[in-house]
Amino acid sequence: MLYALSIQSFVLIDRLQLEAADGFTALTGETGAGKSIILDAIGLVLGGAADRKQVRTDAEQASITAEFAVPSAHGAWDILDLHGLAFDRQETVTLRRTVSRTGPSRAFINGQPVAASVLAQVGETLVEIHGQHAASQLMRAATHLDLLDSFAGLETDVSACGKAWRDLETKRQVRAELEATVKSAQERQDWLSFAVEDLSKLAPEAGEIETLTGKRGALLQSERITDAIKDAASALREPKLESALLQAAKAAERIVRVPGLEALDSDLSTQANAASDALERTLIELAEAQGLVTDLTRHAEHDSDQLEGVEARLFALRAAARKYDCLPELLCETQQRYTQELALCAADSTALDAARAEEFKAEEIWREQAERLSANRQTAAASLQTAIHKELKPLHLGKVRVQVRFDPIAEGESGAKGLERATFEVETNPGAGFGALKSIASGGELARFSLALKCALSQSGEAGTLIFDEADQGVGGAVAAAIGERLSVLSKHRQVFAVTHSPQVASAGARQWRVMKTTSTNGQVTSQIAQLDDGQRLEEIARMLSGSSITNEARAAALKLLEAA
């Protein structure tokens, strides 16, 4: 229900703060006082179209905020969740709309910016506006089936039907995919036979490409190592190298053996001995190096035939991958898939027959649920028509007849809600024929008809707040009293607001707000609203009875109306 309403700088309203309560609240005031402005503000915060002309002339921005107390299981929370908005189901839902004189309008839910369309989706679940200038959910044929089901208490049956339909869709998809796979396989049978045989000859293995690539790299490195060893061995076997070292060693030895070398120069003797020793060690290490290189040759033999085999296998696998349009690494999986597809061609129809049987069984279950639901709806439709007709008569709409028309769902249309669509139709005059609810011409008749529908469907629908705009238009006396009485009854199940010019309707309210227009000393016109106490209500209803000049007789009549309510 609406908890609080704040309107700032909107048309003729400067600043307005209202706290609402449950039950029936009547909005009254003289013509032109601004009652319609309040409804326009509510429509705007519920996602209606914005217009810069709605900004008060002395302001740059208009702002409307509406706070709602919402049950934790209400559908509004699901919409917030769908759009990724943060919320706490234990808190209120606050809708806010701003209209700038120079910039775009903006929308917020619980302080989070949203598109106006999201605001409208949430607002539609919270408030229904019924009247000449406001569209109601009741006027939308798409909601009629849900309203009928809610009236009849068929939610459990609808849920079971939806579950059966979703199961049928799943089984139908499985069967269709299997049929498509078998058909495709049969069409490709010759090609698949060739491909499976070809790949069987090739016999690709999982992980083979990675293994061969690593092995090829190692074999290529062994060839380089062998070449290097050969170069080293060839250099070490160079005859001139060993001959040169022998000649140098002999020459150094002759120097060392020169008689009296130590007496000539002590340094020369030392260096000559060192040179001789070094040359001798070099000859020894040359022989050792030649032996080690020879050993390397034995340990690092290059197998060129093996490298050729690995490269040939890699080439064959990559060629097959190009041929069958897959990665070389996936050749094994491709072979398995082709083998499975080919098996479908050769296999019998057991799998497909089983899938068709599952679908047929699921369809039987759904149809049984849907037919039971249809029978219950037919019974409920008759009861609903009777209930609506009962409400229409005292509202001076006794000639109006209502029927629930059922149409079968079209082929390919979702059967989650059963076998049919439902549409509420109306015949405004006997013999005129039934048509859509919007065919009701008069705005007052439309509001009263909406009231009759809502009374008959008082337990249906999510909206916790109902607003009726001049449901009493064009009527008075007993009809107006009947409207007030029904609004009061309806308010036991919903929060109800009614804009009214009828004292009979106003007196039926649990409380009353009066909309007034004032003019400041500088000529600025402002609309204001105030909740009336008992004495003020008496005076306001007396004014509604007698006009601007309130008589004692009018007060007495007003008191009688209030006491009767």
Side-chain angles (χ1 to χ4, degrees):
M1 69 172 216
L2 180 63
Y3 184 74
L5 178 66
S6 171
I7 305 174
Q8 296 182 25
S9 304
F10 184 78
V11 193
L12 297 180
I13 298 174
D14 179 23
R15 186 178 296 272
L16 187 64
Q17 302 285 341
L18 292 172
E19 291 188 3
D22 57 4
F24 173 23
T25 300
L27 279 77
T28 63
E30 297 180 357
T31 301
K35 298 185 294 297
S36 62
I37 296 175
I38 295 174
L39 292 184
D40 289 343
I42 293 174
L44 182 64
V45 82
L46 294 176
D51 189 335
R52 293 175 182 176
K53 295 179 181 178
Q54 295 169 323
V55 182
R56 187 176 165 88
T57 55
D58 59 349
E60 292 300 318
Q61 177 179 276
S63 175
I64 300 94
T65 303
E67 186 178 4
F68 294 88
V70 182
S72 59
H74 196 276
W77 301 114
D78 297 330
I79 298 175
L80 298 186
D81 187 43
L82 179 65
H83 291 283
L85 299 174
F87 60 86
D88 183 342
R89 290 178 184 262
Q90 304 306 315
E91 297 182 353
T92 57
V93 173
T94 302
L95 310 184
R96 181 168 173 257
R97 191 79 181 275
T98 62
V99 182
S100 173
R101 187 178 297 281
T102 56
S105 66
R106 301 186 67 192
F108 303 86
I109 297 179
N110 288 357
Q112 302 165 85
V114 297
S117 59
V118 177
L119 202 67
Q121 290 176 37
V122 175
E124 191 176 69
T125 69
L126 300 174
V127 180
E128 285 185 16
I129 300 177
H130 303 265
Q132 183 175 7
H133 303 296
S136 161
Q137 276 189 301
L138 292 174
M139 299 299 113
R140 294 170 49 213
T143 67
H144 293 174
L145 187 64
D146 292 337
L147 290 172
L148 175 63
D149 290 338
S150 180
F151 170 79
L154 297 174
E155 291 88 350
T156 300
D157 291 342
V158 173
S159 177
C161 183
K163 182 177 181 299
W165 173 258
R166 289 188 292 274
D167 184 57
L168 170 58
E169 284 191 313
T170 300
K171 298 294 196 303
R172 183 174 290 162
Q173 184 176 358
V174 169
R175 185 266 307 158
E177 289 177 353
L178 186 55
E179 278 185 343
T181 302
V182 171
K183 182 180 179 182
S184 174
Q186 289 173 342
E187 291 174 349
R188 300 200 306 160
Q189 185 170 5
D190 291 342
W191 184 87
L192 284 170
S193 298
F194 167 79
V196 169
E197 184 180 357
D198 188 34
L199 288 172
S200 296
K201 291 178 180 178
L202 184 64
E205 297 178 1
E208 185 178 7
I209 288 290
E210 184 178 357
T211 301
L212 289 173
T213 302
K215 193 171 185 180
R216 177 178 179 274
L219 287 170
L220 286 173
Q221 290 297 103
S222 71
E223 184 178 19
R224 294 191 184 96
I225 292 170
T226 301
D227 290 343
I229 292 173
K230 288 179 179 178
D231 291 343
S234 176
L236 290 174
R237 288 196 299 270
E238 175 60 44
K240 291 182 179 179
L241 174 60
E242 187 174 3
S243 175
L245 286 172
L246 286 171
Q247 289 180 8
K250 289 178 180 179
E253 182 67 22
R254 289 198 304 272
I255 297 171
V256 170
R257 291 178 181 177
V258 171
L261 180 65
E262 294 83 355
L264 294 176
D265 188 338
S266 59
D267 289 340
L268 177 60
S269 175
T270 302
Q271 291 297 326
N273 280 291
S276 177
D277 291 342
L279 287 168
E280 186 175 353
R281 287 196 306 275
T282 300
L283 285 168
I284 294 170
E285 288 177 359
L286 175 60
E288 185 179 352
Q290 288 172 336
L292 289 172
V293 170
T294 300
D295 289 341
L296 273 178
T297 303
R298 289 196 299 271
H299 287 290
E301 292 182 356
H302 172 63
D303 189 344
S304 59
D305 291 339
Q306 187 180 14
L307 176 60
E308 288 179 6
V310 169
E311 290 184 331
R313 179 63 175 172
L314 280 171
F315 179 83
L317 291 171
R318 288 166 178 164
R322 289 192 298 272
K323 185 176 183 179
Y324 297 110
D325 193 24
C326 68
L327 293 173
E329 294 83 355
L330 300 180
L331 270 176
C332 188
E333 293 180 20
T334 301
Q335 180 188 10
Q336 293 172 358
R337 188 175 73 252
Y338 288 169
T339 301
Q340 291 169 357
E341 288 187 43
L342 186 61
L344 284 174
C345 302
D348 57 25
S349 58
T350 302
L352 190 54
D353 287 345
R356 287 169 176 163
E358 287 289 322
E359 180 187 0
F360 181 77
K361 182 179 179 181
E363 185 172 5
E364 279 190 324
I365 294 173
W366 165 74
R367 192 164 295 279
E368 181 181 349
Q369 294 279 1
E371 288 175 350
R372 182 185 305 118
L373 186 58
S374 294
N376 290 335
R377 282 170 174 165
Q378 292 288 345
T379 302
S383 300
L384 178 59
Q385 288 167 189
T386 300
I388 295 173
H389 289 148
K390 182 179 178 181
E391 295 290 340
L392 288 172
K393 189 173 181 180
L395 296 177
H396 205 59
L397 293 172
K399 294 182 180 180
V400 176
R401 296 177 60 214
V402 178
Q403 72 173 11
V404 181
R405 191 189 82 205
F406 291 103
D407 296 303
I409 59 173
E411 185 177 352
E413 191 174 344
S414 172
K417 292 185 177 181
L419 295 168
E420 62 277 310
R421 298 187 302 272
T423 306
F424 298 165
E425 292 188 324
V426 63
E427 184 182 58
T428 55
N429 291 296
F434 285 91
L437 296 184
K438 62 183 179 182
S439 64
I440 300 176
S442 164
E445 285 182 344
L446 182 61
R448 279 182 283 143
F449 186 82
S450 295
L451 174 58
L453 279 176
K454 285 310 299 182
C455 287
L457 297 165
S458 59
Q459 301 296 328
S460 304
E462 286 189 308
T465 300
L466 307 178
I467 300 175
F468 291 88
D469 183 14
E470 299 188 14
D472 56 337
Q473 185 184 55
V475 300
V479 177
I483 292 173
E485 186 268 334
R486 274 149 182 77
L487 288 170
S488 180
V489 171
L490 188 58
S491 69
K492 295 177 182 178
H493 307 286
R494 300 281 196 275
Q495 181 187 42
V496 175
F497 294 89
V499 175
T500 180
H501 289 286
S502 168
Q504 290 90 343
V505 173
S507 62
R511 66 197 60 78
Q512 187 170 343
W513 292 348
R514 183 186 179 190
V515 183
M516 300 163 288
K517 186 184 291 184
T518 61
T519 305
S520 63
T521 55
N522 62 0
Q524 190 76 27
V525 178
T526 302
S527 288
Q528 299 178 338
I529 189 169
Q531 181 168 329
L532 306 180
D533 59 25
D534 291 343
Q536 292 168 330
R537 283 195 74 183
L538 179 65
E539 289 295 304
E540 173 65 4
I541 292 174
R543 180 198 65 76
M544 297 171 72
L545 285 165
S546 64
S548 58
S549 178
I550 304 175
T551 63
N552 289 331
E553 290 81 1
R555 291 189 178 93
L559 181 60
K560 187 175 180 180
L561 285 174
L562 288 169
E563 289 175 343

